Amino acid sequence: MNAIATYQYETLQVSITNQILTVTLNRPHKKNAMSFQLINELIAVAGRIGKDKTIRAVILKGAEATFCAGIDLGDLNHPKNKAFAFWELVKPWQSAFQRVCLVWRELPVPVIAVLEGYCIGAGLQLALACDVRISHSDCQLSIMEAKWGLVPDMGLTQSAFGIVREDVLKELAMSARIIDANEGMAHGIISHCSDNPLEQAQALAAEFAERSPDAVLASKRIINAMYQQPKITLYKEKIWQLKMMLGHNRKLALRKAKQASTAFAKRQFN
């Protein structure tokens, strides 16, 4: 067995077959919402994958037919985690929230996301950072952050560039609307729709594995370079998220999610 699959993970399941590694987000009781522990374990396993030259492709999926229902708000808002979250936003390099998504773009092998159930907020930003997204037609997609008075700050400025049209991305980010996979495919968010997305992902991964691993790596690198955004955009994600978290409309957004009649205060920022 590959050494990566022998590590013990609390929030992941990792397996390998024919040099194709499958990483499963495994918090089904939370619809695989991203906790701080899940973020750390995803970054750790990606680091191990990057050092292993025997792996030919990665499949990223969620347990029990759900990809990821977003950030775990209970974890994010817990007092014990607030200092860590603010440090991640103020430090001058990539935050852990950005790293957990963008690390998959940087891997030297193709990464295929299998989307089922919910792919919302942090889940969609993670999926956009993968090379290919294969979805069940019933999967629900959303850039959900605006509903909670936040802004997408997990590398969206890098991962969505060249995939989603600017006007479409603005509309989805501003509205926090939920769309299905068929609409997502029409917008370029989804690569393929399938009644059995895992089976199609496995077939595609096997197809990649038939090619020279160096040619596959080179293809990923040069095409990523076509859509490389300046690093300052990642810094702007963090600055705006700090403003959102400290602003008065953030608390009102949380209240409005439970009580629709809640009114927002006037715009605070320019």
Side-chain angles (χ1 to χ4, degrees):
M1 180 183 290
N2 184 282
I4 295 173
T6 66
Y7 283 89
Q8 296 298 309
Y9 304 95
E10 294 293 326
T11 63
L12 298 174
Q13 291 178 343
V14 179
S15 61
I16 188 162
T17 303
N18 298 328
Q19 298 178 291
I20 296 168
L21 192 78
T22 300
V23 178
T24 303
L25 282 60
N26 190 32
R27 301 185 76 226
H29 61 293
K30 291 281 191 177
K31 293 184 170 58
N32 302 318
M34 234 184 252
S35 64
F36 283 38
Q37 184 177 18
L38 177 54
I39 288 171
N40 290 334
E41 290 192 349
L42 280 170
I43 292 171
V45 76
R48 292 169 186 144
I49 292 167
K51 296 174 183 176
D52 189 328
K53 293 185 178 181
T54 68
I55 294 171
R56 304 296 297 277
V58 174
I59 295 172
L60 190 61
K61 69 182 191 71
E64 296 189 11
T66 289
F67 184 66
C68 176
I71 202 82
D72 187 329
L73 289 174
D75 212 30
L76 180 66
N77 295 326
H78 196 287
K80 71 176 183 179
N81 292 326
K82 284 189 175 180
F84 173 79
F86 272 95
W87 163 243
E88 290 298 322
L89 290 173
V90 300
K91 70 183 187 182
W93 56 91
Q94 275 187 17
S95 71
F97 306 110
Q98 294 169 331
R99 185 71 182 154
V100 71
C101 296
L102 297 181
V103 69
W104 305 95
R105 275 173 61 89
E106 297 165 10
L107 287 185
V109 293
V111 181
I112 305 167
V114 173
L115 309 183
E116 298 176 280
Y118 296 98
C119 180
I120 288 173
L124 184 53
Q125 292 184 79
L126 175 61
L128 283 168
C130 297
D131 299 301
V132 179
R133 288 157 297 284
I134 303 177
S135 178
H136 194 280
S137 58
D138 291 339
C139 186
Q140 297 184 58
L141 315 168
S142 177
I143 303 174
M144 184 66 78
E145 284 77 6
K147 180 178 179 179
W148 310 113
L150 298 172
V151 67
D153 70 329
M154 299 180 71
L156 187 78
T157 56
Q158 302 285 333
S159 60
F161 185 64
I163 295 176
V164 189
R165 247 180 30 216
E166 180 184 359
D167 58 333
V168 171
L169 192 61
K170 285 179 179 177
E171 181 178 332
L172 294 177
M174 293 174 182
S175 68
R177 183 188 310 127
I178 295 174
I179 63 173
D180 64 23
N182 290 312
E183 186 174 352
M185 190 168 175
H187 291 319
I189 299 169
I190 300 302
S191 311
H192 306 282
C193 275
S194 172
D195 290 335
N196 193 331
L198 177 58
E199 186 177 288
Q200 185 167 344
Q202 290 168 335
L204 182 58
E207 187 176 349
F208 290 152
E210 287 294 312
R211 304 301 171 215
S212 157
D214 292 309
V216 171
L217 164 64
S219 297
K220 179 169 178 171
R221 292 285 189 253
I222 64 169
I223 294 170
N224 278 355
M226 290 171 59
Y227 302 106
Q228 192 68 45
Q229 285 281 69
K231 291 184 179 180
I232 189 65
T233 59
L234 292 177
Y235 182 69
K236 288 182 178 180
E237 286 184 10
K238 299 203 296 178
I239 289 298
W240 275 107
Q241 192 69 295
L242 276 172
K243 289 182 177 181
M244 296 302 100
M245 293 178 72
L246 295 172
H248 50 237
N249 274 315
R250 156 73 168 151
K251 293 180 180 178
L252 293 172
L254 294 173
R255 191 183 304 167
K256 189 175 181 67
K258 298 179 180 179
Q259 186 177 343
S261 61
T262 300
F264 287 110
K266 67 179 181 181
R267 191 181 71 244
Q268 186 174 356
F269 304 108
N270 291 319

